[in-house]
Amino acid sequence: MIRRTTDLSPSARDGFDAILDVRSPAEFALDHLPGAINLPVLDDAQRAAVGTEYVQGSKFLARRTGAAMVARNIAAHLEQALGDRDGSFRPLVYCWRGGQRSGAMVTVMDQVGWPVTVLDGGYQTWRRQVKAALYDTPLPHRLVLLDGPTGAGKTALLGAVAVRGVQTLDLEALAAHRGSLFGAMPGGQPSQKAFESRLHDALSRLDPARPVLVEAESSKIGARVVPPSLWAAMTAAPAIRLESPVEVRAARTVRDYAAIAADPEALDRALTRLPRHIGKESVTAWRALAAAGEVEALATELIVHHYDPAYRRQGVVHGRVELARVGIASLDAAAQAEAAGQVAAALDGLRPD
């Protein structure tokens, strides 16, 4: 029997052995349910060809041709990707709207004998839930910002406190960008919709009654925009501020951005994208430092004359309430462990609402 559901809570999704997205690879690449596997019943070229025939030619021929393609593709998935699944395999299947494509897949899977479930409304059901959570309703979570100037070690400390059992939300990891001029990561960023899917999944797995530590970011992380509900919660959240000497921050920046520091051309291209209010003389001097391989001196210049002024302006605008100030005086593991302990202690001091 084919089951149907619209329950996409983490516990419901985790209850399936696999989530199968039967849309085309291009649709899947744009966005999909977290953890889904793409088993298209029509690939991109096939979907385009069938659609063109349906609109411009014969609807009957389009349906017949499409059905043959779907049958062959499903057969290939049964023999290959699903070839090692036994009779207990419990998949959730979806397409764009929960119509013909997922219907074809689940009909065959049901005949095989698998206890298959189809997502009513398909991907659109998921997207409506993501939009409702991130655009239409206030975020229920109790956010606390991990604030501090560039190079203070916020990202590393976020990971260190997570190990101690603190709830964290790593926006830079979800957006695949470090949120700075030099922050691009290999593979590029997800689409805006995919970023929002990752955010919704991460937030839905956190306990709203307990504090959630999130790194202070601007409203954009690279090219991705922080959705309104999350941004409103971030701007209203109290903060724990990290402090670290400029020389330590410069050394940490060089270490964390070693890949771009080792690529003179990429480093020079990034410097040409500095905001227009940075004087041409400064940019020329910084490009010269980069060309000479003086990356730590360059990092110091950028911190003192670009990032710190921007950070001070941002602090004045938001007027954040500070719960604590935590110093990190060196790059030593012991210094980070001590700072992580102080951050965790500050969060432990928060009382439930």
Side-chain angles (χ1 to χ4, degrees):
M1 181 181 70
I2 298 172
R3 300 154 180 83
R4 310 188 75 86
T5 189
T6 57
D7 184 358
L8 293 175
S9 63
S11 59
R13 286 183 280 127
D14 293 346
F16 293 102
D17 295 323
I19 300 175
L20 306 182
D21 184 324
V22 300
R23 299 175 303 158
S24 70
E27 293 171 294
F28 181 84
L30 183 63
D31 186 29
H32 53 266
L33 272 67
I37 301 167
N38 190 209
L39 297 182
V41 298
L42 289 173
D43 65 27
D44 296 318
Q46 291 170 338
R47 181 166 175 257
V50 170
T52 299
E53 178 63 32
Y54 190 87
V55 173
Q56 299 180 4
S58 165
K59 291 180 172 56
F60 169 78
L61 182 58
R63 287 192 292 266
R64 189 186 69 184
T65 301
M69 292 175 176
V70 167
R72 283 192 291 270
N73 290 334
I74 291 176
H77 296 324
L78 292 175
E79 294 170 346
Q80 298 168 22
L82 303 176
D84 62 346
R85 301 289 190 167
D86 62 24
S88 66
F89 178 52
R90 295 181 62 252
L92 173 66
V93 178
Y94 72 93
C95 61
W96 182 253
R97 293 189 181 89
Q100 291 182 337
R101 286 183 287 177
S102 59
M105 186 70 152
V106 300
T107 297
V108 173
M109 298 183 82
D110 179 59
Q111 290 298 308
V112 169
W114 284 318
V116 61
T117 301
V118 65
L119 175 58
D120 265 341
Y123 165 79
Q124 291 297 316
T125 294
W126 168 256
R127 180 61 193 167
R128 283 192 295 271
Q129 294 183 15
V130 171
K131 187 175 182 297
L134 298 179
Y135 283 79
D136 302 333
T137 56
L139 209 67
H141 300 77
R142 304 174 63 209
L143 301 187
V144 175
L145 299 186
L146 185 60
D147 204 355
T150 295
K154 299 185 291 294
T155 301
L157 197 59
L158 201 66
V161 297
V163 173
R164 294 171 176 261
V166 172
Q167 291 194 130
T168 62
L169 182 67
D170 191 341
L171 293 179
E172 292 185 355
L174 296 171
H177 197 282
R178 290 176 179 150
S180 70
L181 182 68
F182 307 98
M185 294 182 183
Q189 292 190 263
S191 71
Q192 180 68 29
K193 288 183 178 180
F195 173 50
E196 291 170 4
S197 283
R198 295 178 182 184
L199 271 176
H200 178 56
D201 181 50
L203 286 165
S204 66
R205 295 177 185 277
L206 298 173
D207 181 0
R210 295 173 52 211
V212 178
L213 190 66
V214 55
E215 185 173 341
E217 299 282 355
S218 67
S219 60
K220 290 185 68 175
I221 307 172
R224 298 297 150 250
V225 178
V226 177
S229 295
L230 177 56
W231 182 243
M234 289 174 66
T235 56
I240 296 172
R241 180 174 175 177
L242 299 187
E243 295 180 325
S244 190
V246 169
E247 60 272 17
V248 175
R249 291 160 52 203
R252 181 181 288 109
T253 300
V254 171
R255 183 190 66 185
D256 293 348
Y257 290 85
I260 192 168
D263 186 342
E265 291 185 3
L267 185 56
D268 188 68
R269 284 195 302 271
L271 289 170
T272 62
R273 296 195 298 270
L274 281 161
R276 292 184 178 181
H277 68 263
I278 302 293
K280 290 184 179 180
E281 291 183 2
S282 295
V283 174
T284 299
W286 296 344
R287 293 177 71 184
L289 287 174
E294 301 288 342
V295 290
E296 193 154 335
L298 172 61
T300 301
E301 284 286 311
L302 286 168
I303 285 172
V304 171
H305 299 293
H306 173 49
Y307 287 112
D308 280 3
Y311 174 72
R312 287 192 292 270
R313 289 193 299 271
Q314 184 183 35
V316 170
V317 170
H318 292 304
R320 292 170 180 154
V321 175
E322 286 189 3
L323 299 177
R325 291 196 179 195
V326 175
I328 305 181
S330 74
L331 299 182
D332 294 344
Q336 176 157 296
E338 181 180 354
Q342 292 180 42
V343 170
L347 292 170
D348 285 341
L350 294 176
R351 296 288 184 266
D353 293 338

